[in-house]
Amino acid sequence: MLAAPQLQAFNPPRRTLMGPGPSDVYPEVLAAQSKPTIGHLDPLFVGMMDELKSLIQYAFQTQNEMTLAVSAPGSAGMETCFVNLVEPGETVIVCRNGVFGERMRQNVERVGATAVVVDNEWGEPVSVDAVAKALASHPEAKFLAFVHAETSTGALSDAQSLCALAKQHDCLSIVDAVTSLGGVELRVDDWGIDAIYAGSQKCLSCVPGLSPVSFSPAAVEKLKARKTPVQSWFLDQTLVMGYWSGEGKRSYHHTAPVNALYALHESLRLLAEEGLEQAWQRHQQMHLLLRQGLEKLGLQFVVNEGDRLPQLNAVYIPDGVNDAAVRQQLLQKYNLEIGAGLGALAGKAWRIGLMGYGARRENVALCLRALEEQLA
Amino acid sequence: MLAAPQLQAFNPPRRTLMGPGPSDVYPEVLAAQSKPTIGHLDPLFVGMMDELKSLIQYAFQTQNEMTLAVSAPGSAGMETCFVNLVEPGETVIVCRNGVFGERMRQNVERVGATAVVVDNEWGEPVSVDAVAKALASHPEAKFLAFVHAETSTGALSDAQSLCALAKQHDCLSIVDAVTSLGGVELRVDDWGIDAIYAGSQKCLSCVPGLSPVSFSPAAVEKLKARKTPVQSWFLDQTLVMGYWSGEGKRSYHHTAPVNALYALHESLRLLAEEGLEQAWQRHQQMHLLLRQGLEKLGLQFVVNEGDRLPQLNAVYIPDGVNDAAVRQQLLQKYNLEIGAGLGALAGKAWRIGLMGYGARRENVALCLRALEEQLA
């Protein structure tokens, strides 16, 4: 026998999480998650799942029947949209203005489809004009895919206009709302979004590991008309919906992550209690407070004012400042996490998150004071 | 705006879970899971992940470098093994003696590979002779895939002999250990298993949602020699290992399910504290106690004595007994969950789990007494 490791229980410190996610989790959500596990086919659990579906619908502002949480993180939510809707040989217009647009492109290629990439600079929103041109010159395209809120840069794109354009060109829209859901205005039905995915660990302030998704009736029709099977068994929504449908008996697909779903239920319940519009306003107010303080410290935003996400503030690291050393000091001295730059912004920017439960005045104050002390 | 649902917090009752999983979760694991969330790139979290890897290696009895937990349930662990190792056009011998062998076959087909199915009756173990014949008559086969412990029937197959056979025929072995890990003898290195996946929610008594996996050096070599990209971005182990490798800086792939990983760390730590062999013995002892009681009640096992899993006891429902009504009474009156039959055994058998923390004398006593009262 290989010997058993002798280890102590892990006791994490209490951090203030102001990076790009995971965000600070609501205390009520941590408590909900540790309630007793019950069976995933237990009638009481099934009732909780029905409530959860209505809560996800509210957060997305949709009446889409196919609305659920994928039992895995946001990148699995992204893959769920692509593998279910896109078939080999089809064309997808993919907008790339950061890490996650590039990830969409990789998903399209792994499906065996063709990605037509519309590039924008990192830090800029997706250009509606450039997308209009791409759609006009690619009449074979069946999808338009873009990131609503780019977590790698903090840029917000105009989802409403982009989805309207997609519709004009008979394309289905696939939207990444991982960082936008709960933090900025997002209206799935009003804007005509066809497939959308989010993450539990950003502005919902739930534990990481789940991905709320929703498919419009047109997307469901596309899924049902597939000529080839969905390449992923685990993410095949035609199978998963047998469990989530709520119409009569739920059939077993995979064992639901019971306790994580308790947590998601509680975080969305808290969002519904606050009200979506109130939550959007709160994020904006805290962003303005933070912005004022960061500008006083002489820090420059990566994104132009009109295109900034309130919940993800990317600022350039001042010349002569040691990126890693500052972040390490914040973590060790103040138990404060801010995010490093990612991709093209690695080593050049910090990403300061104000997400969900983390978008509070005490967090803004701590972050500004700690940065001031470390940059002095 | 669509109106916000007005909902109360969800308060599940305290059940005793004696179905096919999720099993009763250790109280320490529930507590570990609700510790404060920290960042997935936090140095303290990275340290916890290093420990977690050594704990998974211990549970599997392996020194495989590529050993980690997939951030999704066991069915995603299954898919991880197939999409990473099997390429389109290759042949896989798939053993089918229950629901999960059939699921393996579907995974093989979705990869674009060919499945040669070796069938055994439900309730029987995989026939080593039949597999030997299939291997001999399919020299083109590159893999042998089978389920060690069939959760749908309670049959245990001879993993050691099957893996030895695979090796003789230059095949890599892919083994489903979802229900076996922690409950019965399992030695990945000694038995020469090449790819294995398990689930958190069975004999580890952790919350559902994670899948420990391990790849042998030969499996890693096969993965590295692929001619085609892995079809799933989320499950691509060449990318995931950048985060799990532990060699220097961990690179971001997807946001790890931080709190669920706390839980897995604690459940495996408890297993290491008890000792694997002691845990195997405890499962066997509790099974013998349960078996004695079930036989006194006149209940017949689905699986022959020598092939039974201690942790999953499938018994035929006596003639004239209402399956659903009895399970409902157990749940409502005793807060006791036992499992329904699945697939070919639906409506014909019950599945009584004695898994991990659930394999205790008080659970055996409650189950026997409650069944006695309801069958009287």
Side-chain angles (χ1 to χ4, degrees), chain B residues 325-348:
Chain B
V326 169
R327 285 188 292 107
Q328 192 185 32
Q329 292 292 306
L330 294 178
L331 199 62
Q332 286 180 357
K333 290 191 182 161
Y334 309 84
N335 271 307
L336 171 64
E337 180 179 273
I338 65 168
L342 190 62
L345 293 173
K348 295 182 187 157

Side-chain angles (χ1 to χ4, degrees), chain A residues 2 11 15 42 79 232, chain B residues 15 35 42 61 79 232 234:
Chain A
L2 298 174
N11 281 306
R15 306 281 205 208
D42 190 308
E79 190 161 323
S232 168
Chain B
R15 307 283 204 205
K35 288 183 180 172
D42 191 309
Q61 286 290 295
E79 191 161 322
S232 168
F234 174 60

Side-chain angles (χ1 to χ4, degrees), chain A residues 1-2 7 11 15 35 42 61 75 79 103 106 110 187 230 232-234 236 253-254 269, chain B residues 1-2 7 11 15 35 42 61 79 103 106 110 187 230 232-234 236 253-254 269:
Chain A
M1 292 289 288
L2 298 174
L7 295 168
N11 281 306
R15 306 281 205 208
K35 288 181 180 173
D42 190 308
Q61 287 289 293
S75 5
E79 190 161 323
R103 186 172 298 183
Q106 292 175 25
R110 288 183 190 223
R187 300 173 191 272
V230 174
S232 168
W233 187 91
F234 174 58
D236 184 340
H253 175 256
H254 63 269
R269 205 186 65 77
Chain B
M1 293 289 287
L2 297 175
L7 295 168
N11 282 304
R15 307 283 204 205
K35 288 183 180 172
D42 191 309
Q61 286 290 295
E79 191 161 322
R103 185 172 298 184
Q106 293 176 25
R110 287 182 191 224
R187 301 173 190 272
V230 174
S232 168
W233 187 91
F234 174 60
D236 184 339
H253 176 258
H254 65 268
R269 206 186 63 78

